[in-house]
C-alpha cells in the first residue's frame, strides 16, 4: 500500500534565479538548504518542513498572476502560505518590500470556529504567496476587530 509521508520539496521555475534568491532569502529571510552557487542556476531554500528549489527556465512566459479569489483563477497550483504568529507584525515587516495582492487582510471563518487571518502578496515573478495567522482552536475567542 502506498504510504505518502511529508512533502519533501517543491520547485519554482524562473527566468532569473538570482532575483528570486534575493527575494526568498533576502526579503523573506529563508535559509539555504544546500550551499547556493549562482553559476549553477539553481538554489535550494529551507522552508522548515520542505525544501523550495528555484531552477532556471529559459522558455516561455510566466503564467498570468493569480488573485485572492479562487473562482476567478484558472485551475492549477494557486499559491503557498507561510504561517506567522502575528499577522500585523509580519505585515509591518514586509510592507514596502513586497507587492500586496489586496489592500487589506482577509478573514475566513469556518462554521466550526476555526479562523484564518491572511494577506496575499506576490514574489518578483508574480507567484502568489500568503502570510497567514491561523486560529485552529475552536474555543479561542474571536478578536473584536476581525
Amino acid at each position: 500500500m502506498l504510504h505518502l509521508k511529508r512533502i519533501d520539496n517543491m520547485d519554482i521555475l524562473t527566468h532569473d534565479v538570482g532575483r528570486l534568491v534575493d527575494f526568498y532569502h533576502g526579503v523573506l529571510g529563508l535559509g539555504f538548504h544546500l550551499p547556493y552557487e549562482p553559476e549553477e542556476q539553481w538554489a535550494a531554500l529551507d522552508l522548515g518542513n520542505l525544501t523550495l528549489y528555484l531552477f532556471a527556465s529559459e522558455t516561455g512566459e510566466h503564467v498570468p498572476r493569480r488573485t485572492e479569489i479562487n473562482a476567478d483563477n484558472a485551475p492549477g497550483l494557486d499559491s503557498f502560505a507561510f504561517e506567522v504568529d502575528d499577522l500585523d507584525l509580519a505585515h509591518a515587516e514586509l510592507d514596502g518590500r513586497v507587492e500586496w495582492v489586496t489592500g487589506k487582510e482577509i478573514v475566513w471563518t469556518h462554521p466550526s470556529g476555526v479562523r484564518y487571518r491572511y494577506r496575499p502578496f506576490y514574489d518578483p515573478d508574480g507567484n502568489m504567496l500568503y502570510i497567514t495567522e491561523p486560529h485552529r482552536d475552536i474555543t479561542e475567542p474571536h478578536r473584536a476587530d476581525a
Side-chain angles (χ1 to χ4, degrees):
M1 172 184 242
L2 178 64
H3 179 70
L4 299 177
K5 295 167 57 174
R6 67 179 193 85
I7 296 174
D8 180 72
N9 67 76
M10 58 188 283
D11 306 337
I12 296 178
L13 304 179
T14 181
H15 291 296
D16 191 339
V17 172
R19 180 176 65 172
L20 288 191
V21 166
D22 289 345
F23 181 76
Y24 285 94
H25 179 68
V27 174
L28 299 185
L30 300 174
F32 291 106
H33 177 71
L34 297 169
Y36 174 52
E37 299 177 29
E39 65 279 359
E40 295 294 322
Q41 290 296 294
W42 65 272
L45 296 156
D46 186 0
L47 272 68
N49 61 341
L50 68 91
T51 303
L52 173 64
Y53 284 93
L54 307 174
F55 290 109
S57 171
E58 298 180 13
T59 64
E61 294 300 316
H62 195 280
V63 296
R65 285 184 168 193
R66 301 181 81 74
T67 73
E68 77 285 2
I69 303 169
N70 290 339
D72 291 349
N73 295 312
L77 184 62
D78 183 67
S79 61
F80 57 96
F82 295 99
E83 181 176 330
V84 297
D85 292 327
D86 185 323
L87 185 74
D88 299 319
L89 180 61
H91 172 258
E93 289 182 24
L94 290 174
D95 203 29
R97 302 177 75 196
V98 302
E99 180 183 350
W100 299 106
V101 175
T102 63
K104 60 182 180 168
E105 78 174 52
I106 301 166
V107 177
W108 177 83
T109 304
H110 185 267
S112 70
V114 170
R115 184 172 58 94
Y116 288 84
R117 296 177 60 221
Y118 55 94
R119 186 87 191 266
F121 61 99
Y122 295 114
D123 76 6
D125 277 5
N127 299 305
M128 192 167 61
L129 313 170
Y130 288 87
I131 48 174
T132 183
E133 181 189 293
H135 297 267
R136 295 182 185 102
D137 181 356
I138 60 173
T139 63
E140 183 178 274
H142 294 275
R143 287 176 35 156
D145 62 342

